[in-house]
Amino acid sequence: MLREERRFMAMALDLAMVARDDVAPNPRVGAVVVRNGRVVGRGYHERPGLPHAEVLALREAGKRARGATLYVNLEPCCHLNKRTPPCTREILSSGVGKVVISLSDPNPHVNGKGIAELRESGVPVETGLLASQAFGVNRGFLSLMKNGRPFVTLKGAASLDGQIATATGDSQWISGGPSLKYAHQLRQEHDAIVVGVGTVLKDNPLLTTRLPGLRKVHHPVRVVLDSQGRTPPDSRLFETLAESPVWIMAGETAPPDRLARLEESGARTFRLPVGPGGSGLSLPYLLSALLEARLMTLLVEGGAHVNGSFLQERLVDSIRLVLAPLLIGGQDAIGWIGGRSPERLTGAFRFPGPLKTRRLGEDLLVSVDLWNETLFLEKDLSRRG
C-alpha cells in the first residue's frame, strides 16, 4: 500500500513542477485524486490568481471524488487573503475520504490550520509522505516563508587541497566531464546564478544550461556582482540574451557611462549599497532584488570572494562541492573560499550533521544541507508546540 501511495504522491510532485517558472511567488503544488487505485483527477497550480491544484483535481474527478483519496504535496490553504477561495472548503464539499499531504504550509495564514480544519471536519489526514522530495520542489517558497529570502546553493569545484586555480589563474578544467554535467543540472534547478566580475573577466563564461537531449531546458537569470561596471559589453553573456537575461549588480559609485554601455548591450543594471565593512556589494539587497523579480532559488558559482561573502553572512542553505583527484599546492594558489580566515578554529564555519558524498566519474561530490526538510520540520514542530 505504501508503495502505491508513494507513486501517487510522486505524480503530484511531477505535476507541481509543470508550472515551475510561472507560479512564483506562490508554491508549486500538484494534486491527484485516487479512487479504488485509479487516478480520476489531476491538477496543478499554473500561476498566481488561477485555481489551485486541489480544486482542479477535484473538478476533474467530479462525483468520483466522493470517498476517494486526495494526494497533494503541500497543505491546502484555508484562508481568504488571496484571489481564490479556500481549498479546504472545496475538499470538504467534494466528499473525499482521506487527504495525504507531504509538507505543511509555513505561510502564517495556513501553517497547520488547513490540516486542523480537515481533521476537525472528520476527514483523515496523513502527512510526511515524500517530504524530502516535496522540500526540494518548494525550497524557494519555504525559504521565502521561513527566512525571508531565496534559497541559496553554493557550488564549487576544487582540488583535494581546496584550490580552484593556480597562481596564474589557470582553472580549466579541474573537474571531469560528469562533474561538468552535474554543474549544468544545478543550473537547470535554479532560478538565478551569480558570479563575481572577476569570473567574467577571466573565463568569459556563458552561464547557460547545456544539457543535450533534455526536452525542456531552463536557463537561470545570470547575475554579475560588478561594483564598478567592468563587465565587457562584448562579453559572451550578451550572445545568449534570447535564452536568459543578464543582470549587472553595480555599486553606487560605478561610472554611469559604463553602465550605459552595458545596458546598450542588453543588460539590466542595478545599483546596490556596499556590504558589511565597506567591501563588496550588499548581498541582502541582492537577494531582495531577486525576490522582487520572483526568483526564489539562487546558485552561487563564485569566485572565491563571492563564495566567502555568502558564507560569512550566513546566507547559504546548501553546498555542493566537487573535489577532483589532483593537488595544486602552493601558498599562491587560489582557494575556493576567499576573505579573511578566523583567528581561531572556534570561529570556523562548522556544518551541522554528516556530509554526504558520491562519485561523479573520477571526482567526489560533497553535499552539505544547512537547511533541509528535516530542519524545516523540526523548526516547524517546535514553533507550533
Side-chain angles (χ1 to χ4, degrees):
M1 184 63 179
L2 179 59
R3 185 175 181 178
E4 282 292 283
E5 289 189 327
R6 292 172 65 89
R7 182 170 69 88
F8 294 133
M9 186 62 77
M11 290 182 185
L13 288 166
D14 287 341
L15 285 167
M17 288 299 293
V18 173
R20 60 159 291 176
D21 297 328
D22 301 319
V23 73
N26 286 4
R28 299 164 178 167
V29 183
V32 297
V33 181
V34 178
R35 183 182 180 90
N36 297 327
R38 187 168 65 89
V39 175
V40 294
R42 298 176 176 84
Y44 66 91
H45 187 38
E46 294 185 34
R47 60 178 183 270
L50 293 184
H52 288 189
E54 304 95 310
V55 173
L56 293 174
L58 290 170
R59 286 179 184 174
E60 183 178 297
K63 295 181 179 180
R64 294 172 296 177
R66 185 162 298 277
T69 299
L70 171 68
Y71 293 84
V72 59
N73 60 293
L74 194 70
E75 177 182 8
C77 65
C78 56
H79 61 94
L80 296 170
N81 297 292
K82 53 187 178 60
R83 288 173 281 182
T84 55
C87 290
T88 50
R89 185 182 302 169
E90 297 276 351
I91 293 171
L92 292 173
S93 63
S94 73
V96 296
K98 184 173 75 171
V99 178
V100 181
I101 301 167
S102 291
L103 291 177
S104 63
D105 185 345
N107 184 329
H109 294 299
V110 186
N111 202 14
K113 300 183 184 73
I115 294 173
E117 181 179 338
L118 294 174
R119 285 175 172 164
E120 290 168 2
S121 299
V123 178
V125 178
E126 297 179 3
T127 63
L129 185 63
L130 299 189
S132 178
Q133 295 91 322
F135 180 89
V137 165
N138 270 317
R139 56 189 175 169
F141 170 77
L142 299 175
S143 179
L144 170 63
M145 290 292 107
K146 288 288 191 177
N147 306 320
R149 60 168 177 79
F151 186 96
V152 177
T153 300
L154 180 61
K155 173 261 174 185
S159 61
L160 286 180
D161 52 344
Q163 311 298 336
I164 61 173
T166 66
T168 62
D170 184 29
S171 61
Q172 296 184 344
W173 298 99
I174 286 180
S175 55
S179 295
L180 293 176
K181 180 179 179 181
Y182 176 72
H184 285 275
Q185 289 173 342
L186 286 176
R187 293 179 184 179
Q188 170 81 6
E189 297 167 3
H190 288 77
D191 299 332
I193 179 174
V194 64
V195 298
V197 66
T199 298
V200 175
L201 294 173
K202 180 173 68 71
D203 298 335
N204 195 18
L206 287 172
L207 300 180
T208 53
T209 303
R210 298 183 294 282
L211 290 170
L214 195 64
R215 186 179 63 178
K216 185 177 181 181
V217 175
H218 165 77
H219 299 283
V221 172
R222 295 165 292 172
V223 181
V224 182
L225 296 179
D226 183 3
S227 60
Q228 293 300 307
R230 294 188 295 144
T231 299
D234 60 351
S235 164
R236 295 175 70 206
L237 293 171
F238 302 112
E239 297 175 2
T240 50
L241 287 172
E243 296 176 349
S244 174
V246 174
W247 290 7
I248 304 297
M249 298 292 172
E252 295 171 332
T253 62
D257 58 325
R258 291 185 183 177
L259 299 188
R261 285 194 293 270
L262 290 169
E263 289 174 353
E264 290 173 1
S265 295
R268 181 181 177 186
T269 64
F270 298 74
R271 286 190 183 271
L272 302 184
V274 296
S279 63
L281 299 173
S282 170
L283 298 183
Y285 272 80
L286 163 67
L287 297 178
S288 293
L290 296 180
L291 280 185
E292 288 180 10
R294 304 195 306 165
L295 302 174
M296 312 285 279
T297 55
L298 175 65
L299 179 64
V300 181
E301 286 204 8
H305 175 75
V306 174
N307 294 341
S309 297
F310 271 90
L311 278 173
Q312 288 167 11
E313 295 193 38
R314 299 299 193 265
L315 294 174
V316 176
D317 302 300
S318 172
I319 297 175
R320 298 294 182 261
L321 175 62
V322 171
L323 293 176
L326 77 158
L327 296 171
I328 295 178
Q331 295 181 348
D332 52 355
I334 301 174
W336 181 54
I337 302 297
R340 296 178 61 85
S341 67
E343 294 183 1
R344 303 182 63 83
L345 283 179
T346 53
F349 196 98
R350 291 191 179 273
F351 305 129
L355 305 180
K356 298 178 182 178
T357 61
R358 69 181 174 97
R359 294 289 297 272
L360 291 175
E362 295 182 350
D363 303 328
L364 182 69
L365 172 64
V366 180
S367 299
V368 182
D369 292 321
L370 304 173
W371 194 62
N372 55 24
E373 77 283 355
T374 302
L375 296 174
F376 165 75
L377 291 171
E378 286 176 354
K379 186 182 294 185
D380 186 53
L381 289 173
S382 64
R383 195 174 64 79
R384 288 162 54 193

